[in-house]
Amino acid sequence: MGKKKREPELTELRAAVENYLRRADPGLQDSNNCSYETVECAIEGYSKLVNSDPNIISNDDFQFLFSLVRITSTKSEKQYDDKIELLDKCHLRESQELRTLLENGNRDHRPIGMFTIRGYLLLPTHISDDAARNFISLCVEVYEHISANETEEALRVLDNGLKRNDHKGIGEAMVSELFHCIDPQTFPILNGNMGNGRLVYDALGLKPKLKSFYPKNYVSNVRVLREYREEHFPGLS
């Protein structure tokens, strides 16, 4: 696509991104989407496992957690059935709170999942148990800092964890989608697939500090957007 053809698209995108960045309301996310509540509830459940018996965490747990942010079917009821089936296979199967959230979401016809990929229910079965365990442990540690209003420490922990790269097979799309649901104010969705993540930076006239969209670069690229927000909309970060 030529530069001139992209200008209207980027102008529209810039307006949308700036509107997002200038809003400080913690409830700015789609509060009706069940992903936010279920991800938070799942991370709290995994926090107990990480602190008591982390070795039992496996790929079944990552598949369940990841399914909470992914659209797994065109039919709402089937989506909830998919997630409850994965819950039954993971180590949070005894969580009545999670089960109730999913059952009530289905009953109330609430949307769940925000992202899709080519083909529904294409979940990451290739992730090793070790990678799943390391990534979920990282999610828990970051979540604990976010809950304590320690945003900078959360970013530092996440940056170190992603650069450690002990969660092979978990790409930036997976990283940013899950962390966005943990804290949408801090973690934007940066999916480099087909250049879509880069468009946000192009629209704002920014350059990522690290151009390639890989998990190890995620926090550096998050900071570029945070710095832009602090400069143009002070007091909102």
Side-chain angles (χ1 to χ4, degrees):
M1 183 184 292
K3 184 176 180 181
K4 288 186 178 180
K5 290 183 179 179
R6 288 185 64 189
E7 284 178 357
E9 175 188 357
L10 292 179
T11 298
E12 183 177 346
L13 179 59
R14 180 189 181 104
V17 172
E18 288 195 336
N19 184 54
Y20 173 89
L21 292 174
R22 70 165 52 93
R23 295 172 65 184
D25 179 7
L28 96 95
Q29 70 267 22
D30 177 7
S31 59
N32 193 43
N33 195 302
C34 207
S35 291
Y36 294 102
E37 292 172 68
T38 53
V39 166
E40 181 176 9
C41 185
I43 295 297
E44 288 177 349
Y46 284 121
S47 177
K48 296 173 184 176
L49 282 182
V50 165
N51 291 309
S52 62
D53 194 6
N55 291 330
I56 69 171
I57 296 173
S58 68
N59 176 263
D60 288 336
D61 296 289
F62 183 76
Q63 286 194 66
F64 168 67
L65 181 62
F66 190 54
S67 78
L68 297 176
V69 301
R70 280 294 167 104
I71 297 171
T72 55
S73 173
T74 56
K75 298 179 180 179
S76 176
E77 185 174 353
K78 176 67 165 57
Q79 280 228 81
Y80 280 98
D81 288 345
D82 290 340
K83 290 160 177 55
I84 290 173
E85 181 179 341
L86 290 167
L87 172 62
D88 288 335
K89 294 177 181 178
C90 80
H91 291 95
L92 297 184
R93 64 180 71 90
E94 300 300 327
S95 172
Q96 190 56 49
E97 185 179 3
L98 259 175
R99 194 171 298 275
T100 299
L101 279 173
L102 291 169
E103 290 174 349
N104 289 349
N106 188 20
R107 180 199 64 199
D108 298 336
H109 304 290
R110 291 178 62 189
I112 187 168
M114 293 172 278
F115 316 98
T116 189
I117 43 182
R118 293 183 297 274
Y120 291 107
L121 203 54
L122 188 58
L123 293 171
T125 56
H126 63 287
I127 305 298
S128 72
D129 289 342
D130 284 343
R133 185 178 308 116
N134 293 334
F135 184 76
I136 288 175
S137 296
L138 178 60
C139 289
V140 166
E141 188 174 1
V142 171
Y143 173 76
E144 288 174 349
H145 286 297
I146 289 293
S147 298
N149 294 317
E150 298 168 350
T151 302
E152 282 303 315
E153 184 63 12
L155 288 170
R156 187 193 66 79
V157 167
L158 180 57
D159 194 33
N160 289 342
L162 295 178
K163 287 177 177 175
R164 193 164 56 242
N165 194 25
D166 57 2
H167 50 273
K168 293 191 181 296
I170 300 176
E172 183 166 71
M174 298 182 190
V175 169
S176 64
E177 290 165 9
L178 279 168
F179 280 98
H180 172 73
C181 285
I182 289 174
D183 184 5
Q185 289 292 97
T186 300
F187 302 114
I189 301 159
L190 299 180
N191 185 349
N193 187 36
M194 299 177 65
N196 292 332
R198 184 59 184 265
L199 280 176
V200 171
Y201 295 88
D202 290 345
L204 296 176
L206 300 173
K207 291 183 178 180
K209 290 183 178 179
L210 298 166
K211 293 183 179 180
S212 49
F213 282 81
Y214 294 105
K216 66 180 182 181
N217 302 337
Y218 177 69
V219 173
S220 293
N221 290 329
V222 166
R223 289 190 185 280
V224 172
L225 292 180
R226 285 179 64 80
E227 289 167 6
Y228 182 93
R229 182 178 186 176
E230 288 167 1
E231 179 183 353
H232 293 273
F233 311 109
L236 298 187
S237 295

